[in-house]
């Protein structure tokens, strides 16, 4: 279960990177690629196995001060990312 204290890590089956041809962040895996939208890329960029969800939310609130309710959105995305097995806790 993902909480604000969770320290998420990227599943080792995936490689997260900027893909110039797609003009977006992607998750690469042996069978293909998942193209991420802007917010998903910004969140996963901060998933490093060291930052907690609370720290990730704080950094995104600083970077995007006009984005109201960002904490709930981040938590919702990370729960879905865990269901998709993109991240582990």
């Amino acid at each position: 279960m993902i909480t604000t204290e969770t320290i998420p890590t990227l599943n080792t089956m995936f490689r997260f990177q900027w893909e110039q041809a797609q003009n977006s962040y992607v998750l690469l895996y042996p069978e293909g690629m998942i193209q991420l939208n802007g917010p998903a890329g910004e969140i996963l960029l901060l998933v490093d196995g060291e930052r907690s969800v609370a720290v990730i939310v704080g950094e995104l609130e600083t970077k995007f001060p006009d984005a109201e309710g960002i904490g709930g959105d981040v938590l919702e995305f990370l729960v879905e990312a865990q269901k998709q097995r993109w991240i582990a806790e």
Side-chain angles (χ1 to χ4, degrees):
M1 178 171 168
I2 303 265
T3 68
T4 56
E5 290 81 35
T6 300
I7 299 174
T9 59
L10 192 62
N11 182 331
T12 57
M13 162 176 156
F14 294 96
R15 185 173 65 184
F16 175 76
Q17 70 180 41
W18 175 259
E19 185 66 42
Q20 189 63 38
Q22 304 297 324
N23 197 33
S24 66
Y25 285 105
V26 298
L27 286 172
L28 299 174
Y29 60 105
E31 296 84 25
M33 174 182 71
I34 300 163
Q35 185 175 356
L36 302 167
N37 66 21
E42 291 290 337
I43 295 167
L44 288 182
L45 185 62
L46 299 175
V47 171
D48 61 3
E50 296 180 13
R51 294 177 176 98
S52 69
V53 171
V55 170
I56 291 169
V57 168
E59 290 187 27
L60 290 170
E61 286 174 336
T62 299
K63 188 172 183 177
F64 303 103
D66 295 333
E68 292 184 29
I70 197 169
D73 293 341
V74 170
L75 198 53
E76 185 178 323
F77 170 77
L78 290 173
V79 166
E80 184 60 30
Q82 184 181 40
K83 286 179 187 175
Q84 298 295 326
R85 301 182 200 263
W86 299 345
I87 63 166
E89 56 175 299

